[in-house]
Amino acid sequence: MAAAHCLCYEGCNFFRQRIVLASLSGKPVKIRGIRAKEESPGIRDFEASFIRLIDKITNGSKIEINETGTTLYYQPGLLFGGSVDHDCNPNRSIGYYLESLICLAPFMKSPLKIVLRGVTNDQIDPSVDLLKATALPLMKRFGIDGEHFEIKIVRRGMPPGGGGEVVFSCPVRKVLRPLQLTEPGKIKRIRGVAFSVRVSPQIANRMVDSARGILNKFIPDIYIYTDHLKGANSGKSPGFGLSLVAETTEGCFLSAELASSPQGQGTPVLPEDLGTNCAKLLLEEIYRGGCVDSVNQSLVLLLMTLGQQDVSKVLLGPLSPYTIEFLRHLRSFFQTMFKIEMRTNEEEQKGGEKIQLTCVGVGFSNLSKTIK
């Protein structure tokens, strides 16, 4: 392949986006100057772990990293899939790795079944609970569904020790359905999970009570499941957290979550405060609105881009900085441009500004899937 086709980037930001889009588009990518000016330059352990994971699920990828780790060259191979085991680096949660796997899994040669070990819930990345409740229903709208399509939490693990275990399995698809998702609907119910590991089981109930104290004023249909794990299933570090998901009448999901500070780091947080703050975050997400919450904006845009050569539309709340950069990347990897329109309903001026994004899919066909 001529060097002209290689896409070049600077710096460590949006690292996963570039690797994922390179894997899907088959275009090699070169990232230079990764933390070049810092005291410990180069890619971090969690990024190295991510690259190893990509290497496991592809066949024939070429990955070159220079001695200082500040330059990475990645020439993608075939997305292979199959059964994989991976120990994630405990500096980032499993969600960090899972977000990218969710983007790649439908386009494997054979269905992916992967066991990920590490931290299931932390304060940085979307937790496994959240991805399970919001990303999977979203993918079903594109026709990605089947009996083996699930995220199963076998064990929970909190930072810094980790020790959690998650199984993700996803069927493969040849083509994706186009999507018309422009009516968010009204909030009809709120579901959630309050989990606690290696602390008193009472803590989960305290979080639920304080979250309900706020949410009950708005809607009666609230059910927050308490998940208290003991023994081997509770990982290696104590902690607790709450994830809430609001479902609308049109089947859209908006979510929010919080987790306690890692043991011995940061300021300790009261379960009551955590419950209250998480409920407020959910209300803020509902205010921002749209048909997809801010965590899954880039996922929906990617799947729209990879759809058949037909028009897809989605209504989103304000775009996150991550999503804006993702749109730029989609343009450079797939030459896809989105039509962006502001949608304001004069009659119901509810919530933040809404943005409607429209694109024509590139007609991405899963070439690695064998036709039976």
Side-chain angles (χ1 to χ4, degrees):
M1 219 177 227
H5 294 301
C6 180
L7 290 159
C8 292
Y9 290 106
E10 281 284 327
C12 63
N13 278 354
F14 312 108
F15 181 77
R16 291 176 303 164
Q17 282 188 15
R18 290 162 183 167
I19 300 285
V20 166
L21 291 172
S23 306
L24 288 169
S25 63
K27 291 181 179 162
V29 63
K30 190 168 194 175
I31 305 176
R32 294 196 186 91
I34 302 176
R35 302 193 179 85
K37 294 190 168 67
E38 291 191 20
E39 280 183 13
S40 52
I43 57 175
R44 296 278 178 264
D45 292 346
F46 62 86
E47 288 162 336
S49 174
F50 177 72
I51 293 171
R52 279 196 293 277
L53 173 62
I54 295 291
D55 195 32
K56 281 180 190 172
I57 59 171
T58 56
N59 194 352
S61 292
K62 188 174 168 194
I63 299 166
E64 293 170 5
I65 300 174
N66 69 349
E67 283 176 21
T68 52
T70 52
T71 306
L72 167 88
Y73 173 74
Y74 170 62
Q75 187 176 334
L78 265 184
L79 286 167
F80 191 73
S83 288
V84 186
D85 253 34
H86 186 69
D87 291 329
C88 303
N89 185 287
N91 291 351
R92 297 295 287 263
S93 85
I94 291 175
Y96 174 83
Y97 302 89
L98 201 52
E99 267 189 299
S100 300
L101 285 175
I102 284 174
C103 298
L104 296 170
F107 310 106
M108 300 284 175
K109 180 173 180 179
S110 47
L112 180 71
K113 181 170 194 229
I114 184 161
V115 179
L116 296 164
R117 297 190 186 83
V119 173
T120 53
N121 305 74
D122 71 357
Q123 296 182 308
I124 318 166
D125 299 296
S127 71
V128 185
D129 302 277
L130 198 73
L131 293 171
K132 181 177 175 175
T134 58
L136 298 194
L138 182 62
M139 290 169 79
K140 286 179 183 171
R141 289 179 177 267
F142 288 93
I144 304 166
D145 198 3
E147 50 193 316
H148 300 300
F149 181 44
E150 58 168 1
I151 295 176
K152 203 161 113 205
I153 303 167
V154 184
R155 298 177 179 162
R156 286 192 187 274
M158 294 294 287
E165 187 177 310
V166 172
V167 182
F168 170 54
S169 49
C170 179
V172 286
R173 282 291 168 265
K174 185 122 179 68
V175 286
L176 298 182
R177 285 204 294 255
L179 178 79
Q180 303 288 327
L181 191 56
T182 53
E183 290 305 320
K186 305 260 190 291
I187 303 289
K188 67 172 178 183
R189 60 171 168 231
I190 293 174
R191 294 288 177 266
V193 178
F195 67 90
S196 53
V197 290
R198 301 192 168 261
V199 291
S200 152
Q202 209 47 48
I203 284 191
N205 301 338
R206 286 162 61 186
M207 286 188 291
V208 174
D209 289 346
S210 61
R212 292 192 71 119
I214 288 187
L215 298 172
N216 274 345
K217 298 172 190 166
F218 301 100
I219 192 167
D221 186 355
I222 300 174
Y223 185 79
I224 304 173
Y225 173 74
T226 53
D227 186 17
H228 180 70
L229 292 169
K230 295 197 278 288
N233 292 346
S234 64
K236 298 174 181 165
S237 301
F240 53 88
L242 175 65
S243 63
L244 297 170
V245 177
E247 188 186 341
T248 71
T249 48
E250 298 291 328
C252 301
F253 294 87
L254 303 170
S255 61
E257 64 173 355
L258 280 176
S260 60
S261 309
Q263 182 185 15
Q265 298 167 25
T267 48
V269 57
L270 279 170
E272 284 80 5
D273 296 347
L274 191 135
T276 308
N277 292 339
C278 191
K280 286 177 181 168
L281 277 177
L282 182 69
L283 295 176
E284 191 177 319
E285 194 64 58
I286 292 169
Y287 174 81
R288 294 173 60 143
C291 299
V292 180
D293 60 2
S294 36
V295 173
N296 292 300
Q297 282 177 352
S298 49
L299 173 65
V300 74
L301 297 176
L302 174 69
L303 295 176
M304 281 165 64
T305 304
L306 297 175
Q308 298 166 27
Q309 290 180 327
D310 199 349
V311 177
S312 287
K313 284 183 187 167
V314 68
L315 184 74
L316 299 177
L319 297 181
S320 66
Y322 187 82
T323 310
I324 292 166
E325 193 60 37
F326 191 74
L327 284 167
R328 291 183 186 131
H329 279 116
L330 282 175
R331 189 179 66 193
S332 45
F333 281 98
F334 289 105
Q335 286 72 53
T336 304
M337 303 281 273
F338 279 80
K339 180 180 174 200
I340 300 179
E341 305 163 277
M342 301 302 276
R343 273 260 310 262
T344 46
N345 290 0
E346 276 71 36
E347 314 88 66
E348 33 176 349
Q349 196 63 49
K350 292 199 180 82
E353 289 190 321
K354 306 289 183 285
I355 298 167
Q356 184 171 308
L357 291 106
T358 314
C359 81
V360 175
V362 292
F364 184 86
S365 174
N366 183 352
L367 297 175
S368 43
K369 182 179 189 301
T370 43
I371 298 155
K372 290 200 172 76

